Amino acid sequence: MKHNLEHELNPPQLEAVLSTEGPVLIIAGAGSGKTRVITYRIARMLETGIPQHAILALTFTNKAAREMENRLKELTGKKLQSLTVSTFHAFGVRILREEIETLGYRKNFSIYDETDKTELVKECLRETRAGNASVNLYALGQLFSGVKTGRFTWASSPGIAGTAGAFFEAAEYEKTYHEYQRSLKIYNAVDFDDLLVLPIELFEKNPGVLEKYRRRYRYIMVDEFQDTSLVQYRLMRFLTPPGSTANICVVGDDDQSIYSWRGANYENLLLFEKDFPGLKEIKLEQNYRSTTTILEAANGLISHNKSRKEKKLWSGNTGGKPIELYHPSSETEEADFIGARIGEHMIRDDGRKYDDFGILLRTNSMTRQIEEALLELNIPYRVSGGQSFFQRKEIKDIISYLRIIANGYDDINLLRIINTPRRGIGKAAISAIGELAGKAGTSLWDAMGRIRARQAGSTPDNFTLDSADFELKTGTEISAFMDLIETYREKLLGSGKGLAEKVRALVDEINYWSYLVSEHGKNEKIARWKYSNIEYFIQSIENWEKDPDNFDTGLYAWLNRISLITRDDGNDEAGKGKVNLTTIHAAKGLEFPVVFIAGAEDGIIPHTRSMEGEDPAGSLEEERRLFYVAITRARDKLYITSCLKRRRLQDTVECAPSPFLAEIPPGLIEIRDQSESKQNPEDASAFFAKIRTVFT
């Protein structure tokens, strides 16, 4: 690495890069060059002779891991094939692929996503006959997650919301939870929590295995440390030898901790200081993103939080345009204002692109009016947080086929495709297969194998299914289905490349196009759109196969990748060159030259629901951190809107400005009068017509 570090880094950054031995805590403020410091630090470690395989860098999304790895390759000019840059969950997969047999699983385990998990929870509810049928399955899954990861016990766990205002005690579902855990193991499957919990269990039960990983990873770095959960912290601690000589570096900012609702615990920063006394603490406070105006607003706001490390961001980008606060009369006027300002910038600012604009919202439910305004002006945009491409039914169906080919014991995915497309295996047949599996204590696949054997003229041991329950045609269809899966198992798991072409052949063989046409007989356009998604899906596999940095193009590697992408990033490539319409949570880690924060009203920011928990003071501080994150996404210009009235359900209600607005130093805000945005009809028509021509 031929770089002049003293010239390229400021003094605190340089200290962070050079501090490679012992425990280090880097407090990295928003826009302070955190990623630059991490990549330079790893590059210097490699330069000083630390081997690639000894370094482990953990972060939170596949996108962040890829960005870090790509920057390191550019910086070092090396392929870095032995360096581990990974998300926590992907690292858990890596450990389990090597060691899971120690815990009684087979190596070809499946990873259940949220849809698979919900289906299994539903199945376990039926089997245990626990609780009430109106329970919210997603909420029940979250309860199971909280218990599994140790966020709470059955005695301390919150209740579960049902339909029509019902509420159920968590303890009613303890039996269902244990059945869920048992079923996962029977199906040779794990859920996303298991990707963290099972490695910890493995290390607890097998000191020799733990020591192997400690010897392998002698230098550990954790990015976005304020977002780690307690279970992630425990995994990190297991990998770190005790004592002050541990080479562990964590990087984070307590002011940007906004994920408590999914288990993040910003107090891990305090826990880290306790567990590693004598650590070196380095603060990165110079911001390279925003103007002084924006940073002073952010500093003034966040200073009202009591539970934080003292710091103050500053910028060499002095001055800056004032923050504009606008009070529209309604959300419709708010949307028109945002659309008009984007149009003005596109006309006035030379070289401005669509993706220079970020529109930040507290919740996704607030997008509709803004979308309509952007559509009216022909402004291209993308909405974050929508349905993932990989969660669309047609894509899920094909992925389920691939998961069954990889792991026939995966009952959830088997049930999804056993009669999709329809092949004469109806509900009665599926119920009979389930009964046989239950009696034999085996999987659905094994039960079907017994039926196929009988169809071929042999009688398996302990075959107790009454032949009257099964028509000959059903047995024939089961045999044909199993033959199909086994044929493609040989093709897809055999030697040779061409995974995409084999998947295309599978789609043709099951005649999925005819199935789509039959499902949408009155609208072939929908069928064609869904089939085009499958074509895009297969093309994405082909692109993945052709990636020269991809050394494993097998089905197992691809399924692991899909499971992790689905959880962390969704469709990363969507929306290039479009206005970004996103929740504040989803905007974390991003930056835009021009930012609009919409709906800065009491009850939205801070959100009413967030204040209803057991710790309203803590919730208020997290909501303030969320607003701080929103402000610090802006580089050059920040607009904030706070409606006077807003529709909620069927009513129009009076709105009060967010109390956080009063915490921004007043000299930084310029209030835009409503009358300034009003024009006579002729001028307004000409103005909007001019904007539309920009986007046509």
Side-chain angles (χ1 to χ4, degrees):
M1 181 180 66
K2 304 300 181 182
H3 291 273
N4 185 340
L5 296 181
E6 289 80 1
H7 178 71
E8 298 186 33
L9 303 170
N10 66 39
Q13 288 177 333
L14 179 62
E15 183 183 9
V17 167
L18 297 178
S19 301
T20 57
E21 304 296 317
V24 179
L25 170 61
I26 301 174
I27 303 297
S32 61
K34 169 176 67 71
T35 304
R36 182 180 180 84
V37 166
I38 292 172
T39 52
Y40 269 74
R41 190 175 189 272
I42 294 174
R44 184 179 181 279
M45 290 165 69
L46 294 172
E47 186 184 49
T48 58
I50 296 171
Q52 294 179 29
H53 62 78
I55 301 172
L56 170 64
L58 295 171
T59 187
F60 277 81
T61 67
N62 291 306
K63 183 178 179 181
R66 283 196 301 272
E67 180 184 356
M68 190 183 299
E69 192 167 8
N70 289 337
R71 288 196 187 186
L72 276 167
K73 287 178 181 178
E74 292 175 4
L75 198 59
T76 62
K78 299 178 181 179
K79 292 185 177 181
L80 305 178
Q81 295 178 11
S82 301
L83 181 70
T84 304
V85 180
S86 170
T87 65
F88 273 93
H89 289 90
F91 182 64
V93 172
R94 179 185 290 237
I95 295 173
L96 295 179
R97 286 294 175 204
E98 292 183 13
E99 315 289 349
I100 199 168
E101 288 177 312
T102 307
L103 297 175
Y105 293 80
R106 292 177 294 280
K107 279 199 172 184
N108 64 330
F109 61 88
S110 294
I111 302 172
Y112 278 10
D113 62 16
E114 285 300 324
T115 304
D116 300 326
K117 176 180 176 178
T118 300
E119 286 300 313
L120 183 57
V121 169
K122 188 191 301 183
E123 177 186 311
C124 294
L125 269 175
R126 286 195 299 265
E127 292 186 5
T128 57
R129 296 182 174 85
N132 189 293
S134 66
V135 70
N136 182 304
L137 291 173
Y138 176 77
L140 186 57
Q142 292 300 103
L143 168 67
F144 288 0
S145 176
V147 170
K148 181 180 291 191
T149 58
R151 290 176 61 193
F152 38 73
T153 64
W154 290 106
S156 66
S157 62
I160 310 167
T163 58
F167 191 78
F168 308 108
E169 294 294 330
E172 296 180 46
Y173 298 95
E174 186 173 0
K175 183 179 178 182
T176 305
Y177 170 76
H178 292 300
E179 177 62 23
Y180 170 75
Q181 288 293 94
R182 189 180 77 88
S183 298
L184 280 173
K185 199 156 190 179
I186 289 173
Y187 298 159
N188 195 38
V190 299
D191 61 22
F192 270 90
D193 293 319
D194 287 324
L195 300 182
L196 303 176
V197 171
L198 289 181
I200 290 174
E201 181 183 340
L202 178 75
F203 292 154
E204 286 177 329
K205 294 180 177 178
N206 300 274
V209 174
L210 172 60
E211 187 57 31
K212 179 178 79 172
Y213 282 91
R214 281 183 174 176
R215 286 198 305 268
R216 180 185 301 178
Y217 297 113
R218 293 182 287 110
Y219 292 83
I220 299 174
M221 288 192 70
V222 181
D223 189 18
E224 300 288 2
F225 186 67
Q226 77 282 346
D227 292 335
T228 52
S229 64
L230 286 172
V231 70
Q232 288 166 330
Y233 185 84
R234 285 190 67 206
L235 179 59
M236 182 204 78
R237 284 294 288 117
F238 266 106
L239 290 167
T240 309
S244 60
T245 59
N247 300 317
I248 173 75
C249 174
V250 301
V251 186
D253 180 9
D254 52 332
D255 287 339
Q256 297 185 73
S257 179
I258 57 174
Y259 291 114
S260 66
W261 48 275
R262 71 180 189 193
N265 180 20
Y266 77 95
E267 291 184 350
N268 282 350
L269 288 164
L270 302 177
L271 197 57
F272 185 79
E273 291 176 323
K274 179 182 177 183
D275 287 344
F276 296 94
L279 62 80
K280 175 181 284 190
E281 179 178 307
I282 302 167
K283 291 182 181 180
L284 306 182
E285 297 173 292
Q286 182 175 356
N287 176 285
Y288 291 90
R289 176 190 301 157
S290 306
T291 65
T292 298
T293 298
I294 291 169
L295 289 184
E296 288 182 356
N299 288 333
L301 170 77
I302 203 65
S303 66
H304 289 77
N305 271 5
K306 297 179 180 178
S307 302
R308 64 183 293 263
K309 281 185 168 290
E310 187 61 37
K311 69 186 84 66
K312 187 172 183 179
L313 297 182
W314 62 277
S315 172
N317 186 8
T318 57
K321 301 167 186 174
I323 297 168
E324 292 190 37
L325 173 62
Y326 178 52
H327 292 286
S329 61
S330 67
E331 63 266 43
T332 301
E333 189 175 299
E334 175 183 57
D336 290 342
F337 170 80
I338 292 172
R341 295 294 79 71
I342 292 174
E344 283 182 355
H345 280 283
M346 290 298 293
I347 293 170
R348 182 181 68 229
D349 300 344
D350 185 43
R352 188 69 75 194
K353 303 189 302 294
Y354 304 136
D355 55 9
D356 287 340
F357 301 93
I359 306 171
L360 276 50
L361 310 167
R362 179 61 178 83
T363 67
N364 255 325
S365 61
M366 299 169 63
T367 66
R368 188 176 66 85
Q369 292 287 349
I370 297 175
E371 286 189 71
E372 288 182 4
L374 298 178
L375 287 169
E376 174 66 21
L377 294 170
N378 296 320
I379 297 175
Y381 67 92
R382 68 177 293 255
V383 181
S384 71
Q387 186 184 41
S388 164
F389 176 80
F390 295 100
Q391 294 295 326
R392 294 174 183 174
K393 182 187 182 302
E394 62 274 18
I395 305 303
K396 284 281 291 180
D397 285 346
I398 306 305
I399 291 175
S400 289
Y401 270 96
L402 299 179
R403 283 181 169 159
I404 288 301
I405 287 168
N407 174 19
Y409 299 98
D410 185 343
D411 281 11
I412 295 298
N413 281 292
L414 179 63
L415 289 171
R416 182 181 186 93
I417 58 155
I418 192 171
N419 204 37
T420 304
R422 291 179 179 80
R423 53 176 57 91
I425 307 175
K427 291 182 179 178
I430 293 171
S431 177
I433 295 168
E435 287 180 20
L436 176 59
K439 290 175 183 177
T442 188
S443 68
L444 296 179
W445 182 262
D446 283 342
M448 290 164 62
R450 294 174 179 229
I451 294 167
R452 180 170 62 170
R454 173 150 142 176
Q455 183 73 16
S458 63
T459 305
D461 294 339
N462 303 322
F463 191 93
T464 58
L465 187 65
D466 187 345
S467 61
D469 294 338
F470 240 83
E471 295 181 0
L472 181 62
K473 182 178 184 300
T474 305
T476 302
E477 294 294 351
I478 287 173
S479 297
F481 173 71
M482 295 190 75
D483 290 344
L484 170 76
I485 297 299
E486 288 172 350
T487 297
Y488 277 89
R489 184 169 292 152
E490 288 183 15
K491 292 181 179 180
L492 288 163
L493 300 183
S495 60
K497 294 186 178 181
L499 179 62
E501 284 306 311
K502 293 170 185 176
V503 173
R504 183 174 281 110
L506 173 64
V507 172
D508 291 340
E509 178 120 358
I510 63 177
N511 203 2
Y512 200 83
W513 163 249
S514 295
Y515 167 71
L516 288 175
V517 171
S518 66
E519 288 290 291
H520 306 283
K522 294 183 179 180
N523 195 334
E524 188 173 314
K525 185 177 180 181
I526 293 179
R528 290 190 181 281
W529 180 75
K530 288 179 176 291
Y531 199 77
S532 71
N533 287 336
I534 293 175
E535 286 292 340
Y536 180 86
F537 168 72
I538 295 172
Q539 183 63 52
S540 72
I541 299 176
E542 189 172 336
N543 294 339
W544 174 77
E545 286 184 281
K546 291 179 178 178
D547 185 348
D549 290 332
N550 187 5
F551 301 101
D552 183 356
T553 56
L555 179 60
Y556 290 138
W558 185 83
L559 286 172
N560 288 343
R561 173 179 175 269
I562 285 301
S563 296
L564 295 167
I565 283 177
T566 304
R567 178 174 175 85
D568 289 329
D569 298 323
N571 184 4
D572 283 342
E573 299 306 315
K576 295 296 185 183
K578 297 180 180 179
V579 169
N580 299 273
L581 183 55
T582 175
T583 63
I584 302 172
H585 283 100
K588 187 171 177 291
L590 303 177
E591 60 180 75
F592 310 99
V594 182
V595 165
F596 297 84
I597 302 175
E601 299 142 30
D602 195 16
I604 296 178
I605 305 176
H607 202 281
T608 302
R609 284 201 304 271
S610 71
M611 307 303 295
E612 294 174 348
E614 297 180 359
D615 181 19
S619 297
L620 181 65
E621 292 213 344
E622 177 150 339
E623 288 289 300
R624 186 179 283 113
R625 292 195 294 269
L626 190 62
F627 198 47
Y628 171 84
V629 166
I631 291 172
T632 53
R633 297 314 92 196
R635 281 165 41 188
D636 304 322
K637 181 66 179 179
L638 175 61
Y639 296 92
I640 302 175
T641 58
S642 176
C643 290
L644 301 177
K645 295 182 180 180
R646 185 178 293 274
R647 282 190 67 82
R648 292 184 183 167
L649 299 177
Q650 302 303 314
D651 300 322
T652 298
V653 298
E654 300 279 344
C655 300
S658 168
F660 296 150
L661 294 174
E663 296 175 356
I664 297 175
L668 306 175
I669 294 183
E670 182 179 277
I671 298 177
R672 178 181 282 266
D673 193 287
Q674 268 191 289
S675 62
E676 290 183 38
S677 66
K678 295 179 180 178
Q679 300 168 289
N680 67 62
E682 291 182 4
D683 290 344
S685 296
F687 172 72
F688 282 106
K690 187 175 181 181
I691 291 176
R692 290 189 190 96
T693 62
V694 176
F695 306 107
T696 301

